[in-house]
Amino acid sequence: MTEAPTAGVCEAPGNYHAAAALAALGAQWTAHTGPGRMLLVGCLRQGLALARDFRLDLG
């Protein structure tokens, strides 16, 4: 599995923490170091938060 793309997240002002969280989740996912279910839920929650913040259409 490859790392999740974070291009564009770091470039938006004030989104350093979101980018850092996304990068950390991507690193854990790639390395398989976190508990499976908790890691998956963390990825989904972070993805939904980013979609909300950037008003992305998920439908």
Side-chain angles (χ1 to χ4, degrees):
M1 176 158 268
T2 61
E3 283 191 49
T6 56
V9 175
C10 295
E11 297 162 4
N15 287 324
Y16 172 77
H17 294 291
L22 186 61
L25 285 171
Q28 282 186 337
W29 185 264
T30 303
H32 303 291
T33 59
R37 178 180 275 177
M38 289 178 59
L39 186 56
L40 177 61
V41 170
C43 289
L44 291 172
R45 289 182 62 151
Q46 186 64 34
L48 288 172
L50 288 170
R52 180 200 63 220
D53 293 347
F54 289 97
R55 297 183 183 118
L56 300 176
D57 182 22
L58 299 177

